Amino acid sequence: MLIIPAIDILGGKCVRLYKGDYSKVTVYNDDAVAVAAALEAADAKRIHIVDLDAARGKGINNRKIISNIRKKVKAVLELGGGIRSEEDISELLSIGIDRLILGTVFAREPEKCLSWIKKYGGSKFIAGIDALNGEVRISGWEEGSGLKDSDLAKKAAEAGFCSIIYTNISRDGTLSGPDTENTKRIAEESGLPVIVSGGISCEDDFQKITQDAAAKGKIAGIITGKAFYDGKFDLASVIKKYQKNEGTIF
């Protein structure tokens, strides 16, 4: 079980959205590179980055900043947001991003993603499934897809993704607790390791997940953002207590 702190970048700044709403933004730091260095200093082995500008698909991205993060830290970097073409993949892999999260493009063009997995290898790709009431949302969560989360999870397994990040959008940024039940369901239906995202509120949430017998072997990681930015727990302490890296590639 990995504890994976998140850096969401909007307009070059480290921010958090409330339930994915771009009109409800909290800015936490103007320097995302410094934030990444602080996370690694807290012993984070993996950092989750979301390029919120790129996710909207309007031609804006934060890749220069992301490249500087890569130069600053040695932690595994997983990146989502706006990865829609082979040019995007080539650019991001060339700057050293370890895992690329495919969300919108996977929902819309799964065959294209399959071709990338065959070319670059499944260990480079995570399927990002962001759901609201069981429906997959796309384009920075601003559009519906008409797809069920469970159907897309099964397609992810068939395509050869190494893992899934499952986000219950209704929990994201709310500090209301993670959706472990649906995360376990997605893991069972896909057979892939799943990283839970959204709703982490306090240290107790990590304890509950790590002590949940049904989650073992299914929930591979926990993404956390707003709670530690708001000082709800000490990240270094939580990592020391609950993180176990068993060497599994996901």
Side-chain angles (χ1 to χ4, degrees), residues 93-196:
L93 290 178
S94 71
I95 66 175
I97 302 303
D98 300 286
R99 304 284 188 276
L100 303 180
I101 304 162
L102 304 182
T104 295
V105 68
F106 180 47
R108 285 178 169 167
E109 302 175 90
E111 292 302 320
K112 180 185 287 187
C113 297
L114 181 59
S115 70
W116 296 337
I117 288 170
K118 288 180 177 179
K119 181 173 181 177
Y120 296 99
S123 65
K124 294 291 185 183
F125 298 99
I126 298 172
I129 299 180
D130 307 320
L132 186 62
N133 299 321
E135 182 194 11
V136 176
R137 301 286 293 182
I138 57 176
S139 299
W141 300 353
E142 294 185 315
E143 299 176 20
S145 68
L147 295 170
K148 292 182 179 179
D149 55 8
S150 57
D151 291 341
L152 196 59
K154 292 171 185 175
K155 286 184 179 180
E158 293 168 359
F161 283 90
C162 67
S163 59
I164 293 170
I165 293 175
Y166 182 76
T167 304
N168 183 333
I169 294 170
S170 68
R171 305 283 185 100
D172 193 71
T174 66
L175 303 177
S176 59
D179 186 355
T180 54
E181 293 308 310
N182 277 314
T183 303
K184 287 186 288 187
R185 173 179 59 84
I186 291 297
E188 289 167 357
E189 293 180 352
S190 68
L192 292 175
V194 180
I195 300 166
V196 61

XYZ file of all heavy atoms in Angstrom, residues 93-196:
781
model
N 7.079 11.002 -21.636
C 8.033 9.939 -21.342
C 9.465 10.446 -21.498
O 10.362 10.042 -20.744
C 7.798 8.738 -22.256
C 6.519 7.929 -22.003
C 6.396 6.801 -23.016
C 6.462 7.375 -20.579
N 9.672 11.348 -22.441
C 11.023 11.860 -22.671
C 11.516 12.718 -21.520
O 12.737 12.810 -21.289
C 11.081 12.672 -23.977
O 10.394 13.907 -23.847
N 10.603 13.351 -20.789
C 11.040 14.149 -19.635
C 11.114 13.310 -18.366
O 11.502 13.805 -17.311
C 10.148 15.385 -19.409
C 8.732 14.998 -19.000
C 10.149 16.272 -20.626
C 7.855 16.198 -18.642
N 10.721 12.020 -18.486
C 10.927 11.115 -17.374
C 9.729 10.808 -16.507
O 9.892 10.316 -15.384
N 8.521 11.058 -16.998
C 7.332 10.682 -16.237
C 7.216 9.158 -16.247
O 7.332 8.517 -17.284
C 6.073 11.336 -16.824
C 6.219 12.856 -16.839
C 4.844 10.923 -16.014
C 6.507 13.490 -15.505
N 6.967 8.566 -15.079
C 6.993 7.107 -14.947
C 5.687 6.438 -15.342
O 5.688 5.358 -15.932
C 7.325 6.736 -13.499
C 8.669 7.284 -13.074
O 9.689 6.734 -13.516
O 8.696 8.272 -12.309
N 4.558 7.041 -14.979
C 3.249 6.473 -15.285
C 2.365 7.560 -15.894
O 2.268 8.666 -15.349
C 2.547 5.937 -14.028
C 3.331 4.898 -13.236
C 3.312 3.530 -13.913
N 3.914 2.548 -13.032
C 5.223 2.325 -12.926
N 6.070 3.049 -13.655
N 5.699 1.407 -12.105
N 1.717 7.225 -16.986
C 0.804 8.154 -17.649
C -0.622 7.687 -17.422
O -0.948 6.521 -17.671
C 1.111 8.219 -19.145
C 2.541 8.611 -19.525
C 2.700 8.626 -21.037
C 2.915 9.963 -18.933
N -1.453 8.582 -16.947
C -2.841 8.253 -16.629
C -3.728 8.649 -17.810
O -3.790 9.826 -18.186
C -3.299 8.983 -15.355
C -2.355 8.652 -14.184
C -4.736 8.616 -15.003
C -2.453 9.623 -13.023
N -4.393 7.665 -18.391
C -5.261 7.911 -19.536
C -6.711 7.864 -19.072
O -7.190 6.824 -18.615
C -5.011 6.866 -20.626
C -3.568 6.734 -21.122
C -3.485 5.691 -22.242
C -3.010 8.072 -21.598
N -7.390 8.980 -19.198
C -8.775 9.073 -18.749
C -9.724 9.340 -19.896
O -10.353 8.434 -20.451
N -9.809 10.608 -20.296
C -10.729 10.997 -21.376
C -10.464 10.218 -22.656
O -11.383 9.692 -23.295
C -10.616 12.508 -21.647
O -11.063 13.230 -20.488
C -11.461 12.914 -22.848
N -9.203 10.117 -23.052
C -8.886 9.440 -24.310
C -9.225 7.955 -24.241
O -9.640 7.356 -25.245
C -7.401 9.652 -24.692
C -6.457 8.933 -23.740
C -7.136 9.236 -26.134
N -9.088 7.350 -23.076
C -9.440 5.937 -22.942
C -10.943 5.735 -23.044
O -11.418 4.785 -23.668
C -8.905 5.380 -21.622
C -9.227 3.927 -21.406
C -9.016 2.998 -22.418
C -9.751 3.489 -20.200
C -9.313 1.652 -22.225
C -10.056 2.153 -20.001
C -9.844 1.227 -21.010
N -11.704 6.640 -22.456
C -13.160 6.542 -22.530
C -13.656 6.755 -23.961
O -14.587 6.086 -24.416
C -13.802 7.563 -21.593
N -13.018 7.662 -24.678
C -13.477 8.013 -26.027
C -12.871 7.132 -27.119
O -13.551 6.782 -28.089
C -13.118 9.476 -26.329
C -13.984 10.491 -25.624
C -13.511 11.893 -25.944
N -14.467 12.908 -25.492
C -14.198 14.211 -25.415
N -12.994 14.649 -25.777
N -15.105 15.059 -25.000
N -11.582 6.796 -26.976
C -10.868 6.085 -28.040
C -10.029 4.941 -27.470
O -8.796 4.997 -27.489
C -9.969 7.063 -28.800
C -10.708 8.236 -29.423
C -9.766 9.236 -30.070
O -9.468 9.065 -31.279
O -9.322 10.163 -29.383
N -10.671 3.915 -26.960
C -9.917 2.825 -26.327
C -8.949 2.120 -27.265
O -7.889 1.663 -26.830
C -11.020 1.873 -25.841
C -12.240 2.230 -26.640
C -12.128 3.697 -26.883
N -9.283 2.029 -28.545
C -8.384 1.359 -29.491
C -7.066 2.123 -29.644
O -5.999 1.516 -29.813
C -9.075 1.202 -30.855
C -10.237 0.225 -30.847
C -9.815 -1.167 -30.389
O -8.711 -1.604 -30.793
O -10.553 -1.802 -29.627
N -7.124 3.434 -29.594
C -5.910 4.236 -29.663
C -5.020 3.931 -28.463
O -3.802 3.770 -28.598
C -6.263 5.727 -29.693
C -5.056 6.651 -29.770
C -5.454 8.109 -29.665
C -6.125 8.604 -30.923
N -6.353 10.083 -30.869
N -5.625 3.835 -27.294
C -4.865 3.526 -26.081
C -4.245 2.138 -26.165
O -3.107 1.927 -25.717
C -5.768 3.629 -24.856
S -6.411 5.296 -24.581
N -4.982 1.215 -26.725
C -4.462 -0.145 -26.880
C -3.208 -0.142 -27.748
O -2.231 -0.848 -27.451
C -5.536 -1.050 -27.493
C -5.150 -2.521 -27.706
C -4.762 -3.178 -26.394
C -6.317 -3.267 -28.357
N -3.199 0.663 -28.786
C -2.023 0.730 -29.658
C -0.825 1.308 -28.910
O 0.320 0.881 -29.113
C -2.323 1.567 -30.905
O -2.460 2.944 -30.601
N -1.060 2.273 -28.022
C 0.032 2.849 -27.233
C 0.581 1.829 -26.241
O 1.787 1.745 -26.031
C -0.450 4.087 -26.484
C -0.880 5.211 -27.363
C -0.498 5.439 -28.663
C -1.774 6.268 -27.026
N -1.105 6.564 -29.149
C -1.890 7.103 -28.178
C -2.489 6.609 -25.876
C -2.692 8.241 -28.176
C -3.277 7.745 -25.872
C -3.382 8.553 -27.018
N -0.310 1.078 -25.624
C 0.115 0.055 -24.666
C 0.979 -0.991 -25.367
O 2.003 -1.432 -24.846
C -1.107 -0.588 -23.989
C -1.739 0.414 -23.017
C -0.728 -1.873 -23.259
C -3.076 -0.011 -22.473
N 0.588 -1.380 -26.574
C 1.373 -2.354 -27.334
C 2.751 -1.802 -27.698
O 3.749 -2.521 -27.704
C 0.614 -2.760 -28.595
C -0.595 -3.646 -28.324
C -1.296 -4.019 -29.619
C -2.469 -4.955 -29.347
N -3.191 -5.305 -30.613
N 2.811 -0.506 -27.975
C 4.065 0.106 -28.404
C 5.007 0.384 -27.236
O 6.216 0.102 -27.316
C 3.785 1.405 -29.162
C 5.049 2.097 -29.660
C 4.708 3.294 -30.543
C 5.974 3.970 -31.052
N 5.663 5.104 -31.973
N 4.462 0.933 -26.144
C 5.312 1.395 -25.043
C 5.308 0.461 -23.826
O 6.161 0.598 -22.948
C 4.869 2.798 -24.591
C 5.029 3.853 -25.650
C 3.943 4.257 -26.427
C 6.264 4.458 -25.883
C 4.077 5.235 -27.401
C 6.413 5.437 -26.859
C 5.314 5.822 -27.611
O 5.456 6.794 -28.588
N 4.342 -0.458 -23.780
C 4.261 -1.383 -22.655
C 3.237 -0.955 -21.623
O 3.120 0.233 -21.307
N 2.488 -1.925 -21.112
C 1.413 -1.630 -20.168
C 1.876 -1.033 -18.856
O 1.115 -0.327 -18.178
N 3.138 -1.281 -18.473
C 3.639 -0.766 -17.201
C 3.737 0.753 -17.178
O 3.897 1.360 -16.115
C 5.013 -1.361 -16.881
O 5.982 -0.951 -17.828
N 3.610 1.389 -18.338
C 3.681 2.849 -18.412
C 2.315 3.515 -18.240
O 2.242 4.739 -18.076
C 4.262 3.279 -19.772
C 5.709 2.890 -19.993
C 6.630 3.671 -19.082
C 8.087 3.370 -19.390
N 8.996 4.076 -18.456
N 1.234 2.725 -18.265
C -0.093 3.337 -18.350
C -1.043 2.908 -17.230
O -1.187 1.722 -16.933
C -0.734 3.015 -19.695
C 0.026 3.557 -20.867
C 0.884 2.742 -21.601
C -0.078 4.894 -21.228
C 1.612 3.243 -22.676
C 0.641 5.402 -22.305
C 1.482 4.574 -23.034
N -1.694 3.901 -16.652
C -2.740 3.708 -15.653
C -4.053 4.202 -16.255
O -4.089 5.265 -16.879
C -2.432 4.502 -14.377
C -1.128 4.021 -13.727
C -3.587 4.397 -13.378
C -0.670 4.887 -12.569
N -5.115 3.450 -16.058
C -6.438 3.907 -16.498
C -7.044 4.800 -15.415
O -7.159 4.392 -14.264
C -7.353 2.717 -16.765
N -7.377 6.004 -15.796
C -8.027 6.923 -14.864
C -9.530 6.848 -15.028
O -10.068 7.222 -16.074
N -10.209 6.336 -14.011
C -11.672 6.238 -14.047
C -12.235 7.185 -12.998
O -12.131 6.954 -11.793
C -12.130 4.792 -13.799
C -11.573 3.873 -14.894
C -13.659 4.716 -13.751
C -11.971 2.420 -14.748
N -12.819 8.272 -13.488
C -13.393 9.304 -12.630
C -14.905 9.228 -12.778
O -15.434 9.480 -13.864
C -12.893 10.685 -13.039
C -11.370 10.752 -13.104
O -10.729 10.164 -12.224
O -10.843 11.389 -14.041
N -15.580 8.875 -11.693
C -17.000 8.562 -11.807
C -17.870 9.428 -10.896
O -17.467 9.812 -9.795
C -17.228 7.089 -11.478
N -19.059 9.709 -11.379
C -20.082 10.398 -10.603
C -21.358 9.587 -10.719
O -21.889 9.393 -11.816
C -20.306 11.820 -11.144
C -21.257 12.708 -10.342
C -20.724 12.946 -8.931
C -21.481 14.036 -11.067
N -21.811 9.044 -9.590
C -22.983 8.161 -9.571
C -22.819 6.985 -10.541
O -23.778 6.574 -11.204
C -24.252 8.947 -9.896
C -24.528 10.053 -8.900
O -24.331 9.888 -7.701
N -24.975 11.198 -9.394
N -21.581 6.489 -10.633
C -21.321 5.325 -11.470
C -21.054 5.617 -12.926
O -20.662 4.719 -13.679
N -21.220 6.879 -13.356
C -20.943 7.252 -14.745
C -19.562 7.879 -14.852
O -19.196 8.743 -14.045
C -21.963 8.253 -15.274
C -21.712 8.626 -16.745
C -22.475 9.850 -17.218
O -23.056 10.566 -16.370
O -22.472 10.108 -18.439
N -18.804 7.472 -15.854
C -17.474 8.030 -16.082
C -17.612 9.451 -16.628
O -18.343 9.705 -17.581
C -16.687 7.159 -17.077
C -15.335 7.801 -17.387
C -16.502 5.754 -16.517
N -16.871 10.369 -15.986
C -16.836 11.756 -16.447
C -15.513 12.011 -17.162
O -14.482 11.409 -16.840
C -16.958 12.716 -15.262
C -18.221 12.544 -14.434
C -19.454 13.068 -15.132
N -19.419 14.510 -15.283
C -20.398 15.235 -15.832
N -21.485 14.638 -16.302
N -20.304 16.548 -15.922
N -15.514 12.921 -18.132
C -14.333 13.186 -18.957
C -14.112 14.686 -19.113
O -14.900 15.497 -18.631
C -14.476 12.520 -20.351
C -15.746 13.018 -21.058
C -14.494 11.004 -20.214
C -15.901 12.486 -22.478
N -13.004 15.035 -19.800
C -12.661 16.440 -20.083
C -12.615 17.275 -18.809
O -13.332 18.274 -18.664
C -13.635 17.057 -21.097
O -13.575 16.365 -22.323
N -11.750 16.844 -17.899
C -11.639 17.565 -16.639
C -12.899 17.464 -15.804
O -13.203 18.373 -15.019
N -13.617 16.350 -15.980
C -14.846 16.035 -15.236
C -16.024 16.923 -15.644
O -17.093 16.868 -15.026
C -14.638 16.152 -13.718
C -13.588 15.252 -13.158
C -12.891 14.272 -13.795
C -13.106 15.248 -11.810
N -12.012 13.654 -12.948
C -12.115 14.240 -11.727
C -13.411 15.988 -10.671
C -11.429 13.967 -10.543
C -12.721 15.718 -9.503
C -11.740 14.716 -9.444
N -15.852 17.692 -16.700
C -16.906 18.642 -17.079
C -17.941 18.042 -18.021
O -18.963 18.660 -18.293
C -16.270 19.886 -17.718
C -15.426 20.685 -16.731
C -14.896 21.990 -17.314
O -14.412 21.983 -18.460
O -14.991 22.995 -16.615
N -17.693 16.820 -18.533
C -18.627 16.186 -19.456
C -18.907 14.749 -19.027
O -18.046 14.073 -18.477
C -18.056 16.154 -20.880
C -17.761 17.506 -21.480
C -17.119 17.393 -22.854
O -17.246 16.318 -23.495
O -16.473 18.359 -23.282
N -20.124 14.290 -19.321
C -20.452 12.890 -19.107
C -19.993 12.059 -20.292
O -19.798 12.580 -21.395
N -19.829 10.758 -20.077
C -19.378 9.882 -21.161
C -20.434 8.860 -21.566
O -20.350 8.262 -22.644
C -18.114 9.126 -20.732
O -18.436 8.192 -19.704
N -21.426 8.631 -20.692
C -22.409 7.588 -20.947
C -21.904 6.196 -20.631
O -22.610 5.208 -20.853
N -20.676 6.098 -20.082
C -20.078 4.796 -19.756
C -20.203 4.491 -18.269
O -20.044 5.386 -17.430
C -18.590 4.787 -20.129
C -18.235 4.911 -21.606
C -16.730 5.139 -21.747
C -18.649 3.671 -22.370
N -20.444 3.237 -17.949
C -20.429 2.807 -16.553
C -18.989 2.600 -16.109
O -18.158 2.097 -16.871
C -21.207 1.500 -16.385
C -22.703 1.637 -16.600
C -23.380 0.299 -16.360
C -24.888 0.405 -16.546
N -25.547 -0.907 -16.330
N -18.704 2.948 -14.850
C -17.343 2.777 -14.343
C -16.885 1.323 -14.414
O -15.735 1.030 -14.752
C -17.211 3.336 -12.922
C -18.227 2.761 -11.935
O -18.959 1.810 -12.281
O -18.291 3.283 -10.801
N -17.777 0.392 -14.119
C -17.403 -1.027 -14.134
C -17.073 -1.512 -15.542
O -16.159 -2.311 -15.737
C -18.528 -1.877 -13.542
O -19.748 -1.666 -14.243
N -17.798 -1.023 -16.541
C -17.526 -1.427 -17.928
C -16.156 -0.933 -18.376
O -15.402 -1.658 -19.041
C -18.605 -0.884 -18.866
C -19.956 -1.564 -18.660
O -19.971 -2.663 -18.071
O -20.978 -0.993 -19.077
N -15.814 0.310 -18.006
C -14.517 0.842 -18.405
C -13.388 0.132 -17.656
O -12.304 -0.084 -18.217
C -14.455 2.345 -18.146
C -13.313 3.096 -18.850
C -13.398 2.935 -20.368
C -13.316 4.579 -18.484
N -13.641 -0.271 -16.432
C -12.635 -1.010 -15.658
C -12.317 -2.350 -16.321
O -11.148 -2.748 -16.408
C -13.127 -1.224 -14.229
N -13.323 -3.025 -16.789
C -13.105 -4.301 -17.476
C -12.328 -4.095 -18.770
O -11.449 -4.889 -19.119
C -14.446 -4.970 -17.754
C -15.168 -5.438 -16.494
C -16.583 -5.905 -16.797
C -17.335 -6.251 -15.519
N -18.757 -6.586 -15.778
N -12.631 -3.006 -19.483
C -11.893 -2.700 -20.705
C -10.426 -2.403 -20.403
O -9.537 -2.737 -21.185
C -12.527 -1.494 -21.416
C -13.844 -1.792 -22.128
C -14.328 -0.565 -22.877
C -15.635 -0.843 -23.615
N -16.106 0.371 -24.352
N -10.173 -1.781 -19.262
C -8.800 -1.464 -18.868
C -7.984 -2.734 -18.683
O -6.820 -2.817 -19.093
C -8.791 -0.627 -17.595
N -8.600 -3.723 -18.057
C -7.914 -5.003 -17.858
C -7.639 -5.679 -19.190
O -6.541 -6.205 -19.429
C -8.750 -5.904 -16.963
N -8.626 -5.658 -20.070
C -8.462 -6.288 -21.384
C -7.395 -5.586 -22.219
O -6.668 -6.224 -22.987
C -9.797 -6.259 -22.127
C -10.874 -7.139 -21.487
C -12.252 -6.874 -22.065
O -12.373 -5.988 -22.943
O -13.215 -7.546 -21.627
N -7.280 -4.261 -22.047
C -6.319 -3.485 -22.842
C -4.883 -3.655 -22.363
O -3.943 -3.398 -23.119
C -6.696 -2.005 -22.807
N -4.706 -4.055 -21.105
C -3.355 -4.272 -20.596
C -2.793 -3.161 -19.730
O -1.580 -3.092 -19.523
N -3.656 -2.275 -19.209
C -3.190 -1.264 -18.260
C -2.616 -1.948 -17.022
O -3.064 -3.027 -16.630
C -4.352 -0.362 -17.829
C -4.761 0.665 -18.842
C -5.732 0.377 -19.800
C -4.203 1.937 -18.829
C -6.124 1.327 -20.733
C -4.588 2.893 -19.755
C -5.549 2.584 -20.709
N -1.642 -1.297 -16.378
C -1.034 -1.917 -15.197
C -1.895 -1.736 -13.965
O -1.791 -2.529 -13.010
C 0.369 -1.366 -14.951
S 0.460 0.362 -14.464
N -2.757 -0.720 -13.943
C -3.594 -0.456 -12.767
C -4.669 0.563 -13.119
O -4.736 1.059 -14.252
C -2.735 0.058 -11.604
O -2.064 1.253 -11.972
N -5.489 0.875 -12.118
C -6.566 1.847 -12.272
C -6.492 2.838 -11.115
O -6.230 2.442 -9.973
C -7.950 1.165 -12.259
C -8.143 0.290 -13.500
C -9.086 2.196 -12.143
C -9.376 -0.601 -13.438
N -6.723 4.101 -11.410
C -7.004 5.076 -10.351
C -8.496 5.342 -10.400
O -9.026 5.770 -11.431
C -6.223 6.384 -10.539
C -4.727 6.137 -10.363
C -6.709 7.441 -9.530
C -3.869 7.354 -10.651
N -9.171 5.064 -9.283
C -10.621 5.252 -9.238
C -10.955 6.438 -8.339
O -10.619 6.443 -7.152
C -11.323 4.003 -8.716
C -12.834 4.137 -8.709
C -13.549 4.047 -9.902
C -13.534 4.383 -7.536
C -14.933 4.196 -9.923
C -14.919 4.526 -7.550
C -15.611 4.433 -8.740
O -16.974 4.587 -8.759
N -11.606 7.422 -8.921
C -12.006 8.615 -8.185
C -13.520 8.740 -8.172
O -14.158 8.775 -9.230
C -11.419 9.883 -8.838
O -10.003 9.765 -8.927
C -11.771 11.119 -8.012
N -14.080 8.792 -6.983
C -15.485 9.147 -6.840
C -15.531 10.670 -6.759
O -15.153 11.258 -5.739
C -16.080 8.518 -5.581
C -17.568 8.816 -5.432
O -18.058 9.831 -5.918
N -18.281 7.952 -4.739
N -15.969 11.311 -7.816
C -15.926 12.766 -7.912
C -16.710 13.438 -6.785
O -16.332 14.505 -6.295
C -16.455 13.224 -9.290
C -15.492 12.745 -10.386
C -16.615 14.733 -9.355
C -16.032 12.921 -11.792
N -17.782 12.808 -6.343
C -18.594 13.411 -5.285
C -17.849 13.492 -3.960
O -18.243 14.238 -3.061
C -19.892 12.627 -5.093
O -19.643 11.345 -4.553
N -16.745 12.739 -3.836
C -15.947 12.776 -2.607
C -14.734 13.693 -2.725
O -14.165 14.104 -1.713
C -15.445 11.366 -2.260
C -16.516 10.291 -2.141
C -17.269 10.363 -0.841
N -18.198 9.248 -0.715
C -17.946 8.151 -0.003
N -16.801 8.015 0.637
N -18.850 7.185 0.071
N -14.322 13.995 -3.950
C -13.052 14.677 -4.167
C -13.067 16.086 -3.582
O -13.947 16.895 -3.889
C -12.730 14.753 -5.665
C -11.301 15.172 -5.912
O -10.399 14.364 -5.646
O -11.083 16.312 -6.347
N -12.078 16.370 -2.746
C -11.960 17.693 -2.144
C -12.957 17.992 -1.056
O -13.057 19.133 -0.584
N -13.699 16.971 -0.609
C -14.772 17.209 0.368
C -14.390 16.824 1.792
O -15.114 17.169 2.728
C -16.025 16.401 -0.013
O -15.746 14.994 0.115
C -16.479 16.709 -1.430
N -13.309 16.054 1.961
C -12.907 15.547 3.282
C -13.999 14.691 3.909
O -14.133 14.626 5.132
C -12.545 16.703 4.233
C -11.453 17.669 3.783
C -11.283 18.788 4.802
C -10.133 16.950 3.568
N -14.764 13.991 3.057
C -15.899 13.202 3.551
C -15.603 11.716 3.668
O -16.485 10.923 3.957
C -17.107 13.403 2.635
O -16.811 13.005 1.304
N -14.344 11.332 3.434
C -13.968 9.927 3.514
C -13.908 9.291 2.139
O -14.688 9.635 1.246
N -12.993 8.345 1.931
C -12.827 7.710 0.619
C -13.926 6.702 0.317
O -14.528 6.135 1.230
C -11.474 7.008 0.747
C -11.387 6.670 2.203
C -12.030 7.823 2.924
N -14.161 6.474 -0.950
C -15.162 5.497 -1.387
C -14.481 4.138 -1.542
O -14.199 3.684 -2.647
C -15.785 5.951 -2.701
C -16.941 5.056 -3.142
O -17.195 4.042 -2.468
O -17.564 5.371 -4.170
N -14.216 3.488 -0.426
C -13.500 2.210 -0.485
C -14.362 1.091 -1.053
O -13.843 0.175 -1.708
C -12.986 1.806 0.908
O -14.079 1.800 1.834
C -11.938 2.792 1.400
N -15.665 1.142 -0.829
C -16.528 0.062 -1.307
C -16.549 0.001 -2.829
O -16.402 -1.083 -3.412
C -17.950 0.224 -0.748
C -18.036 0.032 0.755
C -17.408 -1.277 1.212
O -17.734 -2.334 0.642
O -16.578 -1.245 2.136
N -16.746 1.129 -3.472
C -16.748 1.121 -4.937
C -15.352 0.875 -5.496
O -15.211 0.284 -6.572
C -17.316 2.431 -5.485
C -18.829 2.425 -5.517
O -19.450 1.464 -5.950
N -19.434 3.497 -5.024
N -14.326 1.306 -4.781
C -12.960 1.026 -5.220
C -12.703 -0.475 -5.203
O -12.125 -1.034 -6.148
C -11.942 1.752 -4.324
O -12.217 3.160 -4.341
C -10.525 1.523 -4.823
N -13.123 -1.148 -4.146
C -12.965 -2.603 -4.078
C -13.783 -3.288 -5.171
O -13.334 -4.270 -5.764
C -13.387 -3.109 -2.696
C -12.396 -2.776 -1.586
C -12.763 -3.415 -0.264
C -13.968 -2.765 0.376
N -14.222 -3.286 1.733
N -14.969 -2.747 -5.460
C -15.808 -3.308 -6.531
C -15.096 -3.220 -7.874
O -15.078 -4.196 -8.650
C -17.145 -2.561 -6.587
C -18.019 -2.948 -7.778
C -19.345 -2.196 -7.769
N -19.192 -0.762 -7.809
C -19.013 -0.052 -8.929
N -18.929 -0.669 -10.110
N -18.905 1.264 -8.886
N -14.489 -2.076 -8.146
C -13.769 -1.891 -9.406
C -12.591 -2.857 -9.491
O -12.302 -3.439 -10.548
C -13.295 -0.431 -9.544
C -14.503 0.504 -9.748
C -12.306 -0.276 -10.685
C -15.298 0.260 -11.004
N -11.904 -3.070 -8.368
C -10.782 -4.017 -8.340
C -11.257 -5.439 -8.608
O -10.624 -6.193 -9.355
C -10.067 -3.934 -6.996
N -12.379 -5.806 -8.011
C -12.920 -7.160 -8.199
C -13.369 -7.381 -9.637
O -13.141 -8.445 -10.223
C -14.090 -7.377 -7.242
C -13.662 -7.493 -5.779
C -14.825 -7.386 -4.815
O -15.977 -7.168 -5.281
O -14.591 -7.494 -3.600
N -13.990 -6.376 -10.235
C -14.535 -6.537 -11.577
C -13.446 -6.474 -12.656
O -13.606 -7.051 -13.730
C -15.606 -5.484 -11.826
C -16.845 -5.704 -10.940
C -17.927 -4.674 -11.172
O -17.688 -3.687 -11.899
O -19.027 -4.846 -10.613
N -12.349 -5.785 -12.353
C -11.279 -5.656 -13.350
C -10.150 -6.654 -13.137
O -9.466 -7.038 -14.091
C -10.694 -4.242 -13.313
O -9.996 -4.014 -12.100
N -9.933 -7.042 -11.877
C -8.791 -7.896 -11.559
C -7.471 -7.142 -11.494
O -6.411 -7.741 -11.316
N -7.520 -5.812 -11.620
C -6.320 -4.981 -11.572
C -6.151 -4.343 -10.192
O -7.133 -4.123 -9.490
C -6.405 -3.859 -12.614
C -6.359 -4.260 -14.079
C -6.581 -3.037 -14.954
C -5.038 -4.918 -14.431
N -4.911 -4.017 -9.804
C -4.734 -3.225 -8.584
C -5.334 -1.839 -8.803
O -5.204 -1.266 -9.890
C -3.212 -3.163 -8.415
C -2.638 -3.511 -9.746
C -3.639 -4.378 -10.439
N -5.992 -1.326 -7.781
C -6.685 -0.040 -7.909
C -6.192 0.920 -6.830
O -6.005 0.541 -5.675
C -8.213 -0.216 -7.814
C -8.916 1.133 -7.944
C -8.705 -1.164 -8.905
N -5.989 2.160 -7.230
C -5.604 3.234 -6.320
C -6.850 4.053 -6.027
O -7.543 4.495 -6.951
C -4.520 4.118 -6.952
C -3.270 3.282 -7.279
C -4.159 5.288 -6.039
C -2.281 3.986 -8.193
N -7.158 4.246 -4.753
C -8.348 4.999 -4.370
C -8.003 6.483 -4.298
O -6.954 6.880 -3.805
C -8.925 4.496 -3.028
C -7.928 4.665 -1.892
C -10.239 5.205 -2.695
